[in-house]
Amino acid sequence: MPDPDTLPGSFRASIFIGFRTLLYKEVLRFWKVNFQTVAAPVLSALLFLLIFSHVLDRRVTVYGDVAYTAFLTPGLIMMSLLQNAFANSSSSLIQSKITGNIIFVLLAPLSSRVFFAAYALAAVFRGLFVAVGVWLVSVFFVDLPLAQPAWVATFAILGGALLATFGIIAGIWAEKFDQLAAFQNFLIMPLTMLSGVFYSIHSLPSFWQQVSHANPFFFMIDGFRYGFFGQSDTSPWLSLAVVGACFIVLATLTLILLGRGYKLRG
Amino acid sequence: MTTPAIRIAALTKSYGSLQALAGIDLEIARGEFFGLLGPNGAGKTTLISALAGLVRADGGTLEVMGHDVVADFHNARLKLGVVPQELVFDPFFTVREVLRIQSGYYGICNNDGWVDEILSRLDLLSRADASMRTLSGGMKRRVLVAQALVHRPPVIVLDEPTAGVDVELRQGLWQFVKQLNADGHTIVLTTHYLEEAEALCGRIAMMKAGRIVALDTTANLLSRFSTRSLRLQVQRPEVAEALGGVVSGGWVDFSIDTAPEVETLLARLREAGADVYGISVGEPDLEQVFLEVMRRA
């Protein structure tokens, strides 16, 4: 494969157009069914918010004086973002594989890197759409500070990219919808629920605090929450290092799988 | 010397213990209308898939217009348009969106002029803004053809494009493909409709069990493997049958290789008292050739 840096400009431009088109196609795909892909997850998060805040808001405070509903909201935003980023790349890939229309992407002169970048970025976009939706509706229920917006953006994008990448791996590996559902129900959902979305891990016994530190979802949500309150269960720098390392590992694995055509090119 | 449109050397591919391609060597010149024939499971689709990069070969090399399909996949795929055998489509998009997206994959922006022309030539212009889900099977098949052409590839591979397609559409499709060939595109066709291959292809390869078992011009294959048949209506069919004819529906068929054989046969029938009152000559066809080649292979 020629080194892209030494390629003529028109060649590089055509690669960029290919990337942009695949990204556009993936965004258009979920946007055409936005009631299902954006509105429904926003509604789910809103229901969590209403129920938990009604039950617990006056009884529980976190980080000293932060109301429970305020504490919960960034967790719900991040949980929705992560789950939808995963759902987008994984479901798009498995649908394309099962219906056979993945062939149109595989026939085209799109490299593994372009394939990866476009699918991952589109999934991040969906996660961000949902996250902004949850944030906007939460404004009516909770007064949410925004102490350090850069951390919010960093963890939103990096966490979304991590789950989008994981979704690509799941979409490549799975051959049936129930295999993908197993990924979602037995891995993504428990790791998200046990990551501190609904509680501070300081409220857990010491053993479970240690267990939580083995869950990368904890670092994504904790770092994201730091951006809102300026305080968190662990250092945002440690969270950034863990999430960044996980992303690099998964992205490398994804590029290797794509490069070998694993389960895509016979 | 001009590089061939397609060059395949020592190509092998196995799926477990099944050897799908057992050492294929093949060159297809630029501008050819080439037929790839074989029974189900012969390896035609695997060969096409390897050419298109959908399948990774175990060994050997494949080039499209001089570009290796693995080492220089970008240029190889730019030169190749493939109409897949399966009737696949993306249900989320309209016909025009599908073609714009497909153009973009190949690095082409603002392709609407060419897209409209393809749609017009495939009689799809009125359905350009329809969702793919609402199209009939024949229309979806034509969209597949259009998708393969958005980047104006010099080499076009059609993998059984008329399977399950009605006669009218098939005729229209072949007119279009013939025009593409006349415009300079190299066409590679697989089909189970042998009369189509005979009418369209200048050269044909026949495959069986992952190997090419016959490769020649269509004319040569017809003359090498096939005989004409002389069909006669005679007064005493039992006499004609005794002379080697096959009685079928009031006619007696004889295999004939040369004109003098006709004279000899007619003379022998006359001598035996079997007067001939009807005659027709059956031309050799590719179906006979195909069956003979497969029998011998």
Side-chain angles (χ1 to χ4, degrees):
Chain A
M1 175 68 190
D3 179 357
D5 292 335
T6 63
L7 296 172
S10 60
F11 194 90
R12 278 202 298 274
S14 97
I15 290 173
F16 177 72
I17 293 167
F19 160 74
R20 195 182 65 188
T21 304
L22 186 54
L23 173 63
Y24 167 77
K25 183 270 244 184
E26 280 298 293
V27 171
L28 192 60
R29 189 195 70 85
F30 81 72
W31 191 248
K32 285 204 172 202
V33 284
N34 57 43
F35 216 65
Q36 174 200 335
T37 55
V38 179
V42 170
L43 179 64
S44 297
L46 180 63
L47 291 172
F48 272 119
L49 189 65
L50 289 175
I51 293 166
F52 279 88
S53 63
H54 179 73
V55 173
L56 295 172
D57 195 48
R58 290 176 193 167
R59 298 174 194 170
V60 180
T61 56
V62 191
Y63 303 149
D65 58 350
V66 174
Y68 180 73
T69 308
F71 171 84
L72 176 64
T73 301
L76 283 177
I77 292 172
M78 194 58 164
M79 181 178 85
S80 305
L81 190 160
L82 300 177
Q83 288 179 345
N84 282 279
F86 177 86
N88 198 72
S89 51
S90 60
S91 64
S92 174
L93 273 170
I94 197 159
Q95 279 176 23
S96 290
K97 279 169 57 177
I98 287 175
T99 59
N101 63 49
I102 189 81
I103 193 173
F104 303 124
V105 177
L106 299 178
L107 284 171
L110 302 170
S111 68
S112 304
R113 280 175 287 183
V114 165
F115 186 107
F116 167 68
Y119 272 89
L121 198 53
V124 171
F125 280 162
R126 173 165 156 195
L128 290 175
F129 268 112
V130 174
V132 169
V134 176
W135 195 341
L136 287 178
V137 294
S138 71
V139 165
F140 297 102
F141 304 96
V142 59
D143 186 16
L144 196 61
L146 189 58
Q148 307 218 23
W151 281 114
V152 170
T154 301
F155 280 99
I157 292 167
L158 195 55
L162 177 56
L163 266 291
T165 307
F166 198 38
I168 294 174
I169 294 172
I172 291 172
W173 174 81
E175 289 165 4
K176 297 182 288 186
F177 284 109
D178 65 327
Q179 289 175 328
L180 198 59
F183 248 100
Q184 208 140 14
N185 294 325
F186 294 100
L187 199 63
I188 304 297
M189 185 68 83
L191 285 175
T192 316
M193 290 289 185
L194 300 173
S195 63
V197 170
F198 299 99
Y199 53 84
S200 162
I201 63 162
H202 285 126
S203 62
L204 296 175
S206 166
F207 172 76
W208 289 107
Q209 284 190 33
Q210 295 306 313
V211 171
S212 294
H213 280 95
N215 179 1
F217 285 67
F218 159 72
F219 294 97
M220 286 185 259
I221 288 168
D222 200 54
F224 185 68
R225 197 172 263 142
Y226 179 85
F228 287 89
F229 303 111
Q231 49 187 328
S232 54
D233 287 337
T234 192
S235 158
W237 291 104
L238 174 64
S239 295
L240 182 64
V242 172
V243 179
C246 288
F247 174 71
I248 289 168
V249 169
L250 286 190
T252 306
L253 176 62
T254 307
L255 286 170
I256 291 170
L257 294 177
L258 289 171
R260 292 181 180 171
Y262 177 72
K263 290 203 175 186
L264 291 175
R265 300 183 193 272
Chain B
M1 186 183 149
T2 315
T3 52
I6 292 172
R7 178 185 282 149
I8 300 170
L11 186 69
T12 56
K13 174 68 184 177
S14 295
Y15 296 103
S17 60
L18 175 72
Q19 190 155 37
L21 298 174
I24 301 286
D25 293 288
L26 179 64
E27 279 196 9
I28 300 172
R30 296 182 184 203
E32 272 198 84
F33 203 131
F34 189 88
L36 195 57
L37 308 181
N40 289 330
K44 307 182 297 294
T45 297
T46 304
L47 179 61
I48 288 170
S49 298
L51 192 67
L54 299 173
V55 157
R56 298 203 181 263
D58 297 334
T61 56
L62 298 105
E63 292 176 5
V64 179
M65 303 294 279
H67 302 286
D68 188 282
V69 303
V70 177
D72 188 11
F73 74 87
H74 192 278
N75 282 313
R77 291 182 200 168
L78 281 176
K79 307 290 183 197
L80 186 67
V82 177
V83 181
Q85 189 180 131
E86 301 293 333
L87 199 57
V88 292
F89 64 98
D90 200 326
F92 287 93
F93 305 112
T94 66
V95 173
R96 189 180 294 284
E97 283 170 341
V98 160
L99 297 177
R100 279 182 182 158
I101 288 168
Q102 200 69 25
S103 303
Y105 290 163
Y106 288 85
I108 305 166
C109 297
N110 308 318
N111 202 23
D112 279 2
W114 175 235
V115 163
D116 280 347
E117 190 178 332
I118 303 173
L119 289 173
S120 170
R121 288 168 76 172
L122 287 166
D123 199 19
L124 282 169
L125 206 49
S126 64
R127 304 289 288 164
D129 296 314
S131 164
M132 287 297 299
R133 272 179 296 202
T134 65
L135 301 187
S136 68
M139 287 177 184
K140 288 187 183 115
R141 179 74 67 187
R142 279 179 276 167
V143 175
L144 285 178
V145 176
Q147 282 181 267
L149 298 177
V150 289
H151 56 297
R152 303 174 192 248
V155 183
I156 301 163
V157 176
L158 302 113
D159 192 3
E160 295 188 32
T162 51
V165 166
D166 66 52
V167 176
E168 191 180 357
L169 172 58
R170 207 183 306 162
Q171 293 298 331
L173 191 59
W174 290 136
Q175 285 302 322
F176 182 47
V177 175
K178 275 199 282 192
Q179 185 57 51
L180 288 169
N181 184 236
D183 292 345
H185 295 267
T186 306
I187 309 288
V188 179
L189 165 72
T190 80
T191 180
H192 284 295
Y193 297 102
L194 298 179
E195 70 278 14
E196 289 180 349
E198 185 180 331
L200 294 164
C201 300
R203 209 157 64 99
I204 284 173
M206 294 187 184
M207 292 184 67
K208 185 177 182 182
R211 294 179 188 281
I212 291 178
V213 291
L215 173 63
D216 211 331
T217 62
T218 309
N220 283 348
L221 283 170
L222 288 169
S223 63
R224 269 172 49 199
F225 287 96
S226 166
T227 55
R228 287 179 175 79
S229 70
L230 186 67
R231 309 196 79 202
L232 302 175
Q233 285 179 307
V234 297
Q235 294 291 3
R236 296 170 59 198
E238 69 279 5
V239 173
E241 199 170 13
L243 291 172
V246 177
V247 178
S248 161
W251 291 83
V252 187
D253 294 342
F254 293 89
S255 292
I256 297 292
D257 286 324
T258 60
E261 283 183 49
V262 178
E263 288 180 23
T264 307
L265 176 66
L266 292 176
R268 290 176 67 191
L269 285 168
R270 217 170 22 248
E271 285 164 13
D275 291 339
V276 176
Y277 62 90
I279 189 165
S280 90
V281 177
E283 287 297 314
D285 65 30
L286 199 60
E287 192 166 320
Q288 290 174 25
V289 176
F290 182 79
L291 292 172
E292 184 62 19
V293 168
M294 291 302 132
R295 191 183 63 76
R296 292 186 194 180

